[in-house]
Amino acid sequence: FETMQEYLDVINSTEEYVIPLMKNGIEINLAKTPHMLVSGQTGSGKSYSLYHLMFTLMLKGHELFIIDRKQALTKFGEIVGTDHVADENPTESEQIFELVEKVESIMNERERILKDDERFKKDIEAGFQHAGWKNICLVIDELGALTQDLASLKKADRDRFYTALSNIAMKGRNTGVSLMISLQQANAQSFNGTGVRDQLSFKMVLGNSDRQTREILFSSQDISDVKLRPGQAYFTKVDTRNKPGFLFMPTFKFELTIPNLETLLELQHRDD
């Protein structure tokens, strides 16, 4: 993208629940593939890719909640609201638990409305789009590092986090509540034995990741060792591509920073 306006034009050319990725029509439709995983080692373009995904959602007016122990992504609290971010050590604070449970509570209330409201109770296809709700996305950066933090807690306390996360992964699609999870590398402990991994309907592994990460995330033994540059990735998407293919993330002539996001939001509101 040469200019901010060009970026906005592409974003606005897609439907409300769609994140465009490549010119050939590869996109993430949150109504079909709501839960996303972005994996990559340092220098792979992982942070850049997360910024693009998050920028797109915010520019489309969706609501983000962010958990990031590194306290990088939580700086977006200036945009999404400080009550929408959590970065404190879970062994010393309730902040992270409260945030993930807040998102779960919103999802449960939406589920109740779809079940009991006279407008929807007889419509077996009714979902968040029919109710006119914006998508809500819970962003968790470096889930592996957070898993290590949680490992020192009592099992009951760990279960509090993973139960809420599993419920969102299982029931979020119909209610318009999605996950965006990042990992540097995956191992058997990354998801704490929950079924969250299997619910991640869009997965991409950027750059030259290790084979173990690719095999755990894709459950595939036949991924060739191709040398990838930053921003290039293997990906799967349950609605169109079950076997890993190649993805090339967009590049930008302007930096994806909070001040530039504020400028983009101003331009977007002016266009509206």
Side-chain angles (χ1 to χ4, degrees), residues 15-247:
E15 296 180 13
E16 186 176 4
Y17 304 112
V18 169
I19 301 174
L21 294 177
M22 289 179 62
K23 289 182 178 180
N24 63 355
I26 294 178
E27 59 190 23
I28 302 172
N29 186 332
L30 296 176
K32 298 178 180 178
T33 54
H35 304 312
M36 300 160 276
L37 182 134
V38 181
S39 178
Q41 303 278 8
T42 301
S44 66
K46 176 169 63 69
S47 295
Y48 214 67
S49 300
L50 283 173
Y51 295 161
H52 167 54
L53 299 176
M54 293 169 64
F55 274 38
T56 301
L57 291 178
M58 286 185 273
L59 289 166
K60 286 177 177 283
H62 299 277
E63 189 173 5
L64 268 63
F65 293 82
I66 302 168
I67 296 173
D68 180 14
R69 287 282 289 114
K70 300 197 317 297
Q71 303 182 355
L73 294 187
T74 51
K75 292 180 180 178
F76 283 101
E78 295 291 324
I79 305 294
V80 302
T82 55
D83 60 334
H84 282 50
V85 301
D87 54 24
E88 295 178 2
N89 191 327
T91 65
E92 302 170 358
S93 168
E94 290 278 295
Q95 188 189 49
I96 287 173
F97 296 102
E98 290 173 352
L99 191 70
V100 70
E101 288 172 345
K102 181 177 182 179
V103 174
E104 181 190 27
S105 177
I106 294 170
M107 180 190 72
N108 289 338
E109 175 61 15
R110 286 184 170 192
E111 189 176 47
R112 185 195 65 77
I113 293 171
L114 292 174
K115 178 182 177 182
D116 297 335
D117 193 294
E118 292 295 334
R119 294 172 296 167
F120 312 117
K121 62 189 305 181
K122 295 182 180 179
D123 184 356
I124 61 174
E125 300 293 332
F128 72 102
Q129 310 101 304
H130 302 84
W133 294 325
K134 292 285 189 181
N135 186 75
I136 290 172
C137 184
L138 174 62
V139 182
I140 304 177
D141 195 20
E142 300 297 355
L143 179 62
L146 179 57
T147 298
Q148 291 179 356
D149 284 344
L150 295 171
S152 62
L153 297 176
K154 295 179 180 178
K155 182 178 184 301
D157 293 326
R158 293 198 305 272
D159 288 348
R160 179 181 171 188
F161 174 83
Y162 289 111
T163 297
L165 190 65
S166 297
N167 285 339
I168 294 169
M170 290 291 295
K171 300 189 294 185
R173 174 179 172 179
N174 196 49
T175 54
V177 179
S178 62
L179 294 171
M180 186 187 302
I181 293 174
S182 87
L183 286 167
Q184 279 205 13
Q185 58 187 40
N187 56 46
Q189 288 74 45
S190 297
F191 300 97
N192 199 48
T194 66
V196 172
R197 184 195 69 173
D198 296 332
Q199 298 298 322
L200 296 169
S201 43
F202 172 84
K203 303 174 189 174
M204 68 173 172
V205 178
L206 289 140
N208 296 310
S209 60
D210 61 279
R211 176 169 284 274
Q212 175 184 257
T213 293
R214 299 198 301 266
E215 291 178 353
I216 287 176
L217 296 182
F218 297 136
S219 300
S220 173
Q221 303 292 324
D222 59 354
I223 304 173
S224 57
D225 286 313
V226 176
K227 188 173 180 60
L228 299 179
R229 295 194 298 270
Q232 300 177 351
Y234 289 101
F235 84 106
T236 58
K237 196 158 67 81
V238 295
D239 57 334
T240 57
R241 181 176 286 276
N242 289 319
K243 292 186 177 181
F246 291 112
L247 175 68

